[in-house]
Structures are given as structure tokens and as C-alpha cells.
Amino acid sequence: MTVRVPLLIDGQMVQSQSDKFIPVTDPATQNVIAEVPCATEAEVDQAIDSAKKAFETWKETPVGERARLMLRYQALLKEHHDEIATLLSSETGKTFEDAKGDVWRGIEVVEHACNIASLSMGETVENVARKIDCYSITQPLGVCVGITPFNFPAMIPLWMFPMAIACGNTFVLKPSEQDPLTPMRLAELFIEAGAPAGLLQVVHGTKEVVDQLLTHKDTPAISFVGSVAVGEHIYRTGTEHLKRVQAFAGAKNHMVIMPDASKNQVINNLVGASVGAGGQRCMAISVALFVGSAKEWIPELREAMKKVRPGAWNDPEAGYGPLINPAARQRVLNFIQQGKDSGANCLLDGTDCQVEGFPDGNWVGPTLFSGVTTDMSIYQEEIFGPVLCAIELDSLEDAIELINANPYGNGTSIFTSSGAVARKYQHEIKVGQVGINVPVPVPLPMFSFTGWRKSFYGDQHAYGKQAVKFYTETKTVTARWFEEDIDTGVNTTIQLK
Ligand code: NAD
């Protein structure tokens, strides 16, 4: 019998009473490995109610105790690192190396959450007026909600609930219905680490469940990561319901290649950044801008891309795994066809990719287009597959102008040996995360994940100090104490002016 993924409500793993289930499939074989329920309205209400009740106690829990929960959780995640990565590979198809990276980047955020006491310190100014002090304190919000995508089922839930809970909130997570097993394992380990019942709830489902979470009177803060269409819906609906929302959305990330860059570095890094994880990363490079004579490297880039082949998660030779589902594969194949129809040169075509022993996998081979123009759909849309578009330009200024005209602003990188070029680029580019000779510039958790423009709706970003701002309210206290109240036995009446 197929495994049914439970809900986590009030500290208990429970089976949903729903009659609607979605199959969870292995993307390399289409074998159904589990079924995930679409939680009922009553179950979602129950999860929120339990989180609300738990908040009353948790918000009073000393910060050191909250930090120690995160320390225990970090140790358990590390202990189970490879086991979680194996589970993650089985439901996403990611190579084991890639899956380990997904888990590890999440663990780093838990480590950051251990530092919650320092992170949540307020500010004080003594004598804002004579004998009057002013200070700020941070207080948690209540029940926070997280809605996560399929492509990082460990890292992205771990961006959210550890920081929210360390701040004194409780949390309801709605993971992607496509790979819920990894987030459930993360939740089990959180309980094993000693999280009191109700701190973390997990409900499953799709739009209906998300909309209930978004509009519920007792969910003051919503964190979302996913596609731009859904992100806009989440941001609009959440803010219409007067909630605090952060919505991380889609991307189209450009790499600028200057002729003074190291050719070998460019080619090695560009191959990994474009086709790694099958291009299913919000920070993947999907457009390469070759400036001036750098375009002469395109044939070598093609040869390097051609050597990368997809394969099963436990195949050590595989460069990346299958796409998440057949519809995602078909969508990518449609884009490849549109690229050809619109006149781009398809230098490498991954359409007919086969992997021996896995005839039903969602495979797409590395694909490279040159001669791409900004009016083509392969340039305008996020493809989310192993497809790289090369554009040839005359100058750095042309590259900056092109990127700044693109609506997305998640990540970008430049490869150059000139400090002046790099400095100009970092200053003028309207993208929130910039790599200088670094292809996928994902900030570590002491900084925040700072996508811009259509890649992010909201103001406070994930992890770093900004997450603490997002998950707390600041209270400012102005205090005066009357010295005549000091019981010294002496008259010490002093007038405050
Ligand atoms: P998705 O938008 O399809 O799903 C994300 C979440 O929203 C899932 O939990 C899903 O169940 C829910 N959802 C789907 N349709 C919904 C609807 N109509 N109403 C309410 N909720 C709905 O995204 P995905 O395919 O799982 O993930 C890939 C996308 O996520 C890509 O666009 C990628 O760029 C983006 N992403 C962005 C970042 C970032 O930090 N900017 C990080 C990772 C992924």
C-alpha cells in the first residue's frame, strides 16, 4: 500500500481525513512513492488554533532556551544529514551531491538561528530628555505561515521556521505537494530535538489550503517562495488581508562575460550554474552575455556542456537529475521548440535525451542557444530547465542596460579580471545578489537573501538580520523614573526638566 504522508498537528503526526490525495512520484521512473493529502478546512483551522495556543507559552520562553532548541536541532540535522539527502534525492531526483548541498544550506540557517539572542537585541539611548531613557525591544508576532516550492525541499523550509520560531513565534508550514517527504522528516527531527507540541505544524495541499492560510484572521505573517504568478497572488491576497508578506518569486539570471576574464573559469562555472540541478534553481544562470571577443568562447562552452549528462540520483557520473514532473519537462521542450522557431541558433539540443535504464524519466539534456534576442520567449520567460541563452554584445554598458531592462532581479554575476569593471557593475546593476567571478551568489545566512524587483515582493528578506525584523514587531519604550520615589530617608526632590 502507498505511504500516506501525515499532517503534523499539535505535536502529533496524524492522518488527514481528506478524500483528496496527490501522488508523489520519483521523477526518474514515475513510480508513486507516497500520497499527500489536501488537508481539510477543519484540519487547517486546527493547526492554526494549536499554533496560536502554543504561542502563548512559547513567546514567554527565555531566549536561551529557544536558542538551545535550535542547537539540538542543528546537531540532529547534521547527524541525519545523509539520510535526509537520500530521501530528498528519492523524491526530487536531485543527484546525491546536490541533495546534500540542499540540506547543508538549510543547516546553516539553523546555526544562524542559534544566535537569536544577539540578533534580537534592541537599541537604547540614555537621556533622550533629562533623566528619560528610550529603548527598543523586539517581540514575536504570533502564528507565522510558510509556503514552499519543490526545488529546495530542505533548504527553503529551513530558511523559514527556525528563524520564525527562534524569534518566539509558532509556525504553520505548507510544503510543496511535489516533495513533502523531506519537509516531514525535518519536522520529525524538530520534535525529536525537543520542540514543544504546537510550535511547528505541517499541513499539505495546494491553492485551497494556501488561500485559507493567507486569509485566516490568526496568521499575521506569510513567507512564500515559488513562481512569480503564485507569488503575486500571495502578496496581493496577504497584504489585502493586512498581513506582513515576503514573497520570493521567479528569476531570469544573467552572467556577464568580459573578454579579460579567465576563459577556463568562465566555462567551468557557467556550465555548473546553467545546467546544474537541471536548471531548477532560482539562482541558475539562464542568460550568458558575451561582451566583445568573449563570444569566441561559445564553441568551447558548447563542448563542455555536451559532456554533462543527466542521470539517476545515485549515479556518480550524473551531472544532474530529471526535471520534477512530466509537465515541467514538456514545458521546457516547448520553450526549446519556440527558441528554434523564433530564429535562435540551437547549438546544443537536449530534446531527445535518454538515460539508460530510466525510459520514463523526465530527462532534458543540456541545451544552448546563441543569437538570442530580448523579444524571444526563451529570453523573456523563466524556463526552469537546463537551457542557456547566449547573447553577444559590444560593451559592458550594453550588458548593464539589457539586464536592468529585464523585470527580474534575483541574481547576476560578472566574470572579469578588472576591479574597475566589477565595481561599476556591482554599483549600476539593478539586481539584488551580485557575484564577482562567482556564478551563483547565494548569500550565507549572516547576510540576507536579497532578490529584487519581480523576483521579490515585500521588504524584509529571508534569514540574516532581516528575518528577525520580518518575524518580530519592534516596541519602543520611553521611560522616566522619579527620584523622589527612592526611599533614602532623605528628601531628594529633584525636578525633571
Ligand atoms: P509554485 O509557485 O508552483 O509553488 C510554490 C508553492 O505554492 C507550493 O507550495 C504550491 O503548492 C503553492 N501553490 C501553487 N499554486 C498555487 C496557487 N494557485 N495558489 C496558492 N498556492 C499555490 O513553484 P514551484 O514550481 O514549486 O517552484 C519553482 C519556482 O519557485 C520557480 O519559479 C523558482 O524561480 C521559484 N523559486 C524562487 C526562489 C527565490 O528565492 N526567489 C527560490 C526557490 C524557488
Side-chain angles (χ1 to χ4, degrees), residues 430-482:
K430 292 182 186 158
V431 175
Q433 299 172 106
V434 180
I436 296 173
N437 298 317
V438 171
V440 181
V442 178
L444 263 79
M446 61 292 276
F447 291 92
S448 298
F449 188 93
T450 54
W452 278 17
R453 298 193 279 148
K454 211 174 165 174
S455 298
F456 178 70
Y457 299 99
D459 53 1
Q460 304 294 345
H461 293 86
Y463 56 81
K465 291 180 192 145
Q466 294 194 21
V468 177
K469 284 226 158 64
F470 183 76
Y471 288 123
T472 59
E473 198 77 82
T474 303
K475 186 180 278 180
T476 313
V477 181
T478 305
R480 173 165 64 173
W481 294 97
F482 300 101

Side-chain angles (χ1 to χ4, degrees), residues 147-152 156 159 174-178 205-207 210-211 224-228 230-231 233-234 248-251 281-282 382 384 410 449 455:
I147 300 146
T148 54
F150 80 83
N151 68 329
F152 283 99
I156 294 181
W159 278 6
K174 202 304 286 174
S176 171
E177 66 283 8
Q178 301 193 73
T206 55
K207 183 171 169 47
V210 171
D211 285 348
F224 166 85
V225 179
S227 59
V228 74
V230 181
H233 164 70
I234 300 278
F248 299 84
R281 290 178 180 144
C282 67
E382 180 184 44
F384 229 52
N410 216 33
F449 188 93
S455 298

Side-chain angles (χ1 to χ4, degrees), residues 127-133 479-481 483 494 496-497:
N127 281 340
V128 289
R130 199 167 297 276
K131 303 213 173 189
I132 297 182
D133 302 332
R480 173 165 64 173
W481 294 97
E483 292 195 7
I494 296 169
L496 288 173
K497 284 186 189 156

